[in-house]
Amino acid sequence: MSIDQPSILSYLHPYDVLSSDARNDILEQSTWINVGKGQQIYACGDHLKGLYIIGSGQVSITDASGAPLSLLNRENSFGERGLLRDKIAVTTATADEDCRLLCIPAALFRSLLTQHEAFQRFFDRSGPAAPSRKADLTSVRVEALMATGPAVCSPDTSIKTAGRIMRDGRISCLCVVADGGLVGIVTLRDIVNKAVAEDLPKDTPVSSIMTANPRVLPPSAIGSDVLHLMMEYRLGHLPVVSAGRLVGIVTQTDLTRFQASHAASLVAQAAHARSAADLAEITARIPGLLVQLVAAGNRHDAVTRMITDIADVVTRRLLRLAEEKFGPPPAKYLWLACGSQGRQEQTGVSDQDNCLILEDGTSDTDLEYFQPFAQFVSDGLNACGYVYCPGDMMATNPLWQQPLSVWKDYFKGWIASPSKEAQMLASVMFDLRPIGGDESLFDDLHAQTLNAAAGNSIFTAHMATNALTHATPLGLLRGLTTIRAGEHRNTIDTKLNGVIPVVDLGRMYALQGQLPALNTRARLEAALSAGIISESGGSDLIDAYDFVAQTRLEHQANLIKQGRAPDNFLPPATLSGFERSHLRDAFVVIKTMQSALMQGRGALA
């Protein structure tokens, strides 16, 4: 059913605060348009015609990478964020159904913002033009988070049928309805823990395993209500009920997507920034994003991936700005990141580690172009909070700004003569990941290097020794040991002595198995699947890594909430006895796997 067109603005906020004459003027200057199912209304980067209000149908909004941001229905509006930023779309809108839309012209929309304070407050409250009032779980309504039309079944549906519905729909729960009302919810976990584990007959009705009369929320509730209920009662799904009728469902995945949309917003803004100063204003909001993502219960690797995505876009934008400043590059180039950005593991504390690969045949005159070019990008990254690398592992260093053939010689030399410096350099460079430029310059280089390195037993032995240089903070009796002196006295370095030992192990496993993954957790999972490490040792190590990395992120988020700069130095005294015990156990696992690597029996650990 579509909205009654003549009265559409009379009850939609903030139009309802206007006089009837003003609303009629808006309708006279606006246009009703019909959009067919599957048609794109606008794409990211398009010039926006105006603000759209949905009269009927459904519209999906995705970010620049195609990730879903929201699903909008009748009475929702969209396009305002782009109109607040030079009328350029920062998202893509597509009709999921046949739609009838009211388009308020861009000029009229902007005049309404300047003429009516209610409009300014309503539309500017969460857009990029007002970062201090960005939306979060305390302001977003459940109706904006929920998935509409949740899958349902009746109480007498068999568990076999329910399982098939969930499998085919790639969903994790079914709402159980009877006589038009919600009577329960059944999840994949229910089927596993209550049906499979208890060996119930396949024709057993879901009513015997469902959660009866589940906790629900109305569409008018806010996101933090969802989060708090989920955390308090350990829920993964919350049905949304209005006037006794099931209208939607919110899952933990929906919360994650909402939080990710903030990252997507920063990505979209960074992609169109006009200067390094503009980029610095955007990246200054990353600490707040980290706090939100951690508070929403996101796993550490999801958080660091989102934060790294922003760094990638910032880097690419600086490369484009450098090309605008210095002119088209005289030769093909590829900017690569190593370190935490290369592994997609950036947190609230990250320096820059990068390099340049140039095409072979680049002349000395051409090389003169790339020195100020690299300096511009590196200076911009520093201004954005990605501080200069203390070890000068940056593209501004002539050593790391070389033609492809030189880079190949570098790797060959490090592998053939694995000195201590060569081991260190190889460790860093095994985490190289292309960021911007011509990626063909990196084709096969990583795979060829892994193959050559894995085939040199002397090199791999030296690399294994190098991987053990970072010790866990365990004493003789396997108790936690802290830094004894200096400004970080009585703390544990959760990066150097916590995360890095696992990073080193993951890199060694990737080398042993010639695994292409760069991300540490992905390397551990790949090593486990490939049999490089045993089932028990690998599973324990992944759990240990997750606990240490999550503890590190939570520590940084806590510092940010206190108004302090994030760091990696965690005072164990601030943890509960339970947390300290688990942290110690995690370090024991890591140390055990280090010992296994040293003894050459990683697959048996």
Side-chain angles (χ1 to χ4, degrees):
M1 181 181 69
S2 64
I3 297 174
D4 180 35
Q5 295 179 19
S7 61
I8 179 173
L9 302 183
S10 63
Y11 58 88
L12 289 182
H13 190 70
Y15 309 95
D16 56 351
V17 302
L18 303 177
S19 67
S20 58
D21 289 341
R23 289 196 295 269
N24 288 333
D25 287 342
I26 295 174
L27 285 172
E28 288 177 2
Q29 297 179 56
S30 302
T31 305
W32 282 98
I33 59 175
N34 296 313
V35 182
K37 179 181 179 180
Q39 290 185 346
Q40 203 173 77
I41 301 161
Y42 59 75
C44 187
D46 286 353
H47 187 84
L48 283 169
K49 296 179 180 179
L51 176 76
Y52 295 89
I53 300 175
I54 302 175
S56 64
Q58 181 174 272
V59 174
S60 62
I61 307 295
T62 55
D63 65 16
S65 66
L69 296 180
S70 57
L71 197 61
L72 305 178
N73 295 284
R74 190 165 59 95
E75 301 182 14
N76 292 145
S77 60
F78 58 96
E80 67 271 15
R81 296 176 66 190
L83 293 174
L84 291 167
R85 284 185 59 83
D86 303 322
K87 295 189 285 188
I88 301 299
V90 297
T91 57
T92 294
T94 306
D96 285 351
E97 302 172 354
D98 290 343
C99 293
R100 185 159 176 78
L101 310 173
L102 178 68
C103 180
I104 300 177
L108 175 58
F109 173 75
R110 290 193 163 195
S111 69
L112 290 170
L113 289 177
T114 59
Q115 295 173 21
H116 302 279
E117 185 180 352
F119 273 82
Q120 180 68 27
R121 286 199 308 268
F122 182 82
F123 287 107
D124 213 22
R125 62 186 174 185
S126 61
S132 63
R133 297 158 80 179
K134 57 184 178 294
D136 56 28
L137 289 175
T138 63
S139 61
V140 66
R141 287 165 62 100
V142 165
E143 62 186 1
L145 290 173
M146 70 183 189
T148 56
V152 300
C153 68
S154 63
D156 58 358
T157 300
S158 70
I159 56 176
K160 178 180 179 180
T161 300
R164 284 181 173 176
I165 294 173
M166 284 188 262
R167 179 200 64 188
D168 295 343
R170 296 183 178 181
I171 54 178
S172 56
C173 74
L174 288 174
C175 293
V176 184
V177 296
D179 299 325
L182 178 72
V183 296
I185 185 171
V186 62
T187 68
L188 282 176
R189 181 175 294 182
D190 292 328
I191 291 179
V192 172
N193 294 343
K194 299 177 182 178
V196 177
E198 298 299 328
D199 198 24
L200 296 179
K202 295 179 180 178
D203 59 355
T204 302
V206 295
S207 57
S208 64
I209 65 169
M210 72 181 186
T211 299
N213 302 315
R215 298 183 184 279
V216 300
L217 283 173
S220 58
I222 59 176
S224 59
D225 294 333
V226 177
L227 178 61
H228 293 163
L229 274 179
M230 286 184 170
M231 293 182 70
E232 182 177 0
Y233 298 103
R234 298 187 178 182
L235 305 175
H237 313 79
L238 267 175
V240 182
V241 174
S242 176
R245 185 171 59 91
L246 178 69
V247 295
I249 192 163
V250 182
T251 67
Q252 290 177 342
T253 301
D254 295 320
L255 292 184
T256 299
R257 285 175 179 166
F258 172 76
Q259 297 295 343
S261 73
H262 290 290
S265 173
L266 297 188
V267 163
Q269 293 172 54
H272 299 93
R274 295 306 308 161
S275 67
D278 289 345
L279 288 168
E281 290 182 5
I282 294 166
T283 56
R285 293 155 59 188
I286 290 178
L289 173 66
L290 186 147
V291 171
Q292 287 187 354
L293 293 173
V294 172
N298 292 289
R299 203 171 67 184
H300 67 93
D301 52 326
V303 176
T304 55
R305 173 61 183 268
M306 285 186 243
I307 291 176
T308 304
D309 285 348
I310 298 171
D312 290 354
V313 175
V314 168
T315 304
R316 283 191 284 271
R317 187 58 187 154
L318 286 168
L319 290 170
R320 180 61 60 85
L321 292 174
E323 291 182 11
E324 292 177 2
K325 178 178 177 66
F326 299 107
K332 293 179 181 179
Y333 75 88
L334 178 62
W335 186 281
L336 304 99
C338 44
S340 60
Q341 185 180 1
R343 297 188 305 273
Q344 297 178 304
E345 295 169 0
Q346 289 192 310
T347 66
V349 186
S350 297
D351 59 3
Q352 56 176 287
D353 298 283
N354 44 60
C355 63
L356 264 177
I357 296 179
L358 308 175
E359 68 174 320
D360 287 335
T362 303
S363 67
D364 291 341
T365 302
D366 293 341
L367 287 173
E368 293 176 358
Y369 168 93
F370 288 103
Q371 188 57 44
F373 177 93
Q375 193 66 56
F376 175 90
V377 177
S378 184
D379 289 346
L381 289 171
N382 184 70
C384 290
Y386 308 104
V387 298
Y388 300 120
C389 174
D392 202 22
M393 187 67 70
M394 296 182 293
T396 52
N397 185 335
L399 281 173
W400 315 130
Q401 186 188 121
Q402 294 289 340
L404 177 60
S405 58
V406 175
W407 277 101
K408 290 181 178 179
D409 289 340
Y410 280 165
F411 280 104
K412 289 179 182 177
W414 295 333
I415 294 170
S417 302
S419 65
K420 188 171 184 178
E421 180 184 17
Q423 296 165 36
M424 183 274 292
L425 292 173
S427 295
V428 173
M429 295 306 176
F430 276 133
D431 297 343
L432 279 178
R433 182 170 61 88
I435 302 298
D438 192 328
E439 293 195 16
S440 67
L441 295 173
F442 198 61
D443 283 351
D444 300 326
L445 179 59
H446 186 244
Q448 291 173 2
T449 302
L450 273 178
N451 182 57
N456 188 317
S457 58
I458 296 176
F459 175 78
T460 55
H462 280 282
M463 282 290 289
T465 300
N466 186 64
L468 303 174
T469 56
H470 298 106
T472 56
L474 291 173
L476 292 176
L477 300 178
R478 293 193 168 185
L480 294 177
T481 60
T482 59
I483 298 172
R484 297 301 182 189
E487 63 174 316
H488 302 303
R489 184 172 176 268
N490 296 328
T491 68
I492 292 172
D493 189 335
T494 56
K495 177 184 178 181
L496 192 64
N497 303 117
V499 169
I500 293 300
V502 187
V503 170
D504 292 338
L505 287 172
R507 189 183 298 113
M508 271 306 303
Y509 299 148
L511 179 59
Q512 290 175 340
Q514 299 182 48
L515 307 173
L518 295 177
N519 176 265
T520 297
R521 199 177 196 279
R523 281 172 166 169
L524 298 181
E525 291 174 340
L528 182 59
S529 297
I532 305 299
I533 47 180
S534 69
E535 184 71 31
S536 58
S539 297
D540 286 349
L541 183 57
I542 291 173
D543 288 345
Y545 176 60
D546 284 343
F547 190 84
V548 173
Q550 199 73 36
T551 300
R552 177 194 182 201
L553 268 189
E554 290 172 358
H555 165 67
Q556 292 186 4
N558 287 334
L559 291 177
I560 294 168
K561 286 189 289 186
Q562 296 168 24
R564 299 163 60 187
D567 63 32
N568 296 304
F569 300 98
L570 170 69
T574 62
L575 301 176
S576 68
F578 179 84
E579 290 170 322
R580 285 196 300 273
S581 176
H582 277 272
L583 191 59
R584 183 195 64 235
D585 291 344
F587 288 136
V588 169
V589 170
I590 296 169
K591 187 172 183 178
T592 299
M593 295 302 286
Q594 286 181 316
S595 299
L597 179 66
M598 181 171 58
Q599 296 169 19
R601 55 180 181 85
L604 302 177

